[in-house]
Amino acid sequence: MSKLIIPAGLALAPKVAFANENAFADTFLSQPLTEYSVGWRQEHAELEQLLEFLAPKVRAARRFEFRVANSKAAFAAAENGQDIRALGAEFNVYRETGDIVQGKTLSKGLTKVLDKDEIHDNPMAEEEAVAEIMSILYRSEIIRAFGVLNAAATNAAKTWSAGTDADSDLIAAISAGGDDAGLNPNRVLFGQTAWQKRVLALRGSEKAGGFASAGLDEAGLAGLLGIDEVMVCKQRYQGGSGKTALVTNNLVLAYNAQAGAGRNDPSNVKRFVTPTAGGDFAVFREEKPATVAVTVAHYSNVVLTSSAGVRKLTIS
C-alpha cells in the first residue's frame, strides 16, 4: 500500500501550495490527465455520490457570501392580511432576515511524485496517480462533511434489539427536527452497523408490520419515513489506527440537504465549489529530469449553513 510521505522539515506537505497559481496553471495544466479525472469520476461514482448526499455542491466564486438559514424567515407567512394592498397604497415590504456570512472556497490538493522508471514500466502510472489522489480528496471531503453534521446534531441514544420498533425512533427524530427547524429533515444517513441493527430488530418483531419493514431497502424506508432519500454508508478509509468507516458505524443522521440548492435556501449543509480550468478538479503535470509530479487540485468549502433540525441517533 502506498503512503503519503512528508519530507523532513516540510510541515505542510503533501498539501498543495501554489506560490503563483495562475502561472502554475498556465505552465503545468495537463488537459489529458484532467479529462481522465472526469472519466474516473464517472467510473467510480460511490464516493462522489456519498459526498453529494452529505453536502450537495453549490457553485460559487472564490469569495462568496450566504445567508445563514433562519427558520422564521424561511417559513414566514403574511398574517392578518399583510399581503393585501389598499387602493392607492404600495405593497407592504418583506425584508429577509438572517445573518449574511462571508466565506471563501479553500485551495485543496495533493501531489504524487513518480519516478520516470515507474512510468517506463507502467504507461498508466500517471493516470493511476490521478485516480489515487482523487480517492483521497473525496474521502477527505466526506470526513469534513460528516464531521460538520455530526457536531451540529442533537443526539439521542437508542437500543435496537430484537422486537424494537426502530422505525418509530426514526419517525420521531424526523418530527423533532421539523419542529426545531420548521422544515423536516429530508435525508437520513445510516452507518453500516446501525442499519444492520435496525434490520435485525425489526426481523425479531412479533408484529406483521415490523417484520415487513425489515425487508425494506433504502428507497422503501425513505417512502415509509416520508423523506427524499436514505443511504447506508459502507465505504471505509485507511486511518492512523487502520481501516475506519467514513461514517461512524453505529450512528444515524437526519438532516436537510438539497441537490441543486442556492446559497440562501434553508438547508443544513452545503459544499461550495469554485470551478477550475478543467471543471471541478484540475490536474497538473510537472516534469523534471528523473521524476514527474502529478498534482490534483480543487477549490471547495463544506459549510454548516444551519444547525437547526439536525438529529442523530446513537445505536447500541
Side-chain angles (χ1 to χ4, degrees):
M1 177 179 294
S2 58
K3 296 182 179 179
L4 298 174
I5 305 300
I6 302 179
L10 187 58
L12 295 181
K15 181 179 178 182
V16 179
F18 298 148
N20 187 326
E21 295 183 37
N22 291 333
F24 189 94
D26 292 342
T27 304
F28 299 114
L29 179 68
S30 170
Q31 195 62 39
L33 289 177
T34 297
E35 290 174 359
Y36 175 83
S37 75
V38 176
W40 177 84
R41 287 166 55 205
Q42 293 169 346
E43 294 166 8
H44 300 77
E46 285 188 1
L47 290 173
E48 186 176 14
Q49 183 182 8
L50 175 57
L51 177 58
E52 188 67 16
F53 188 87
L54 277 164
K57 176 171 60 180
V58 177
R59 301 282 187 180
R62 285 298 313 278
R63 295 187 179 275
F64 59 91
E65 62 182 30
F66 64 93
R67 190 179 298 275
V68 175
N70 179 297
S71 59
K72 181 178 179 180
F75 306 100
E79 299 177 296
N80 303 318
Q82 294 171 327
D83 57 336
I84 299 174
R85 185 181 70 86
L87 187 65
E90 297 296 329
F91 290 107
N92 286 321
V93 176
Y94 166 72
R95 291 182 174 84
E96 191 174 4
T97 60
D99 294 335
I100 294 178
V101 177
Q102 303 293 325
K104 69 174 183 177
T105 55
L106 306 175
S107 179
K108 302 172 183 176
L110 290 170
T111 297
K112 184 171 184 178
V113 179
L114 301 171
D115 193 285
K116 285 190 174 180
D117 287 345
E118 295 180 75
I119 299 172
H120 180 269
D121 294 337
N122 177 12
M124 291 294 292
E126 293 180 40
E127 288 81 359
E128 290 174 3
V130 171
E132 182 180 359
I133 293 171
M134 289 189 69
S135 292
I136 296 170
L137 295 177
Y138 270 125
R139 291 187 186 102
S140 300
E141 291 286 88
I142 290 166
I143 291 169
R144 291 186 183 100
F146 173 71
V148 161
L149 285 168
N150 189 31
T154 299
N155 183 58
K158 298 293 180 180
T159 299
W160 287 351
S161 56
T164 302
D165 188 353
D167 289 348
S168 68
D169 291 335
L170 296 171
I171 292 170
I174 291 168
S175 178
D179 290 342
D180 182 27
L183 179 70
N184 275 355
N186 68 332
R187 295 185 178 185
V188 170
L189 180 66
F190 281 81
Q192 192 168 12
T193 301
W195 178 262
Q196 291 167 350
K197 284 183 174 291
R198 172 192 169 271
V199 172
L200 293 174
L202 292 171
R203 283 184 61 187
S205 174
E206 296 179 356
K207 298 179 180 178
F211 186 80
S213 294
L216 294 176
D217 61 7
E218 290 96 325
L221 179 58
L224 176 65
L225 299 176
I227 62 174
D228 294 339
E229 294 180 88
V230 170
M231 181 178 285
V232 181
C233 175
K234 305 178 181 70
Q235 288 77 19
R236 297 169 175 79
Y237 72 99
Q238 184 69 33
S241 58
K243 288 186 174 64
T244 305
L246 281 170
V247 171
T248 305
N249 274 323
N250 69 327
L251 294 186
V252 183
L253 281 177
Y255 57 96
N256 192 283
Q258 303 286 342
R263 289 181 296 172
N264 297 327
D265 71 276
S267 56
N268 293 122
V269 62
K270 299 180 179 72
R271 181 171 56 95
F272 293 98
V273 172
T274 302
T276 69
D280 289 348
F281 290 85
V283 182
F284 303 95
R285 182 184 187 275
E286 183 177 5
E287 185 170 353
K288 295 183 178 180
T291 61
V292 173
V294 176
T295 298
V296 182
H298 68 117
Y299 296 105
S300 72
N301 196 357
V302 177
V303 177
L304 183 76
T305 49
S306 173
S307 61
V310 184
R311 288 296 185 270
K312 174 172 64 176
L313 300 180
T314 301
I315 310 303
S316 59

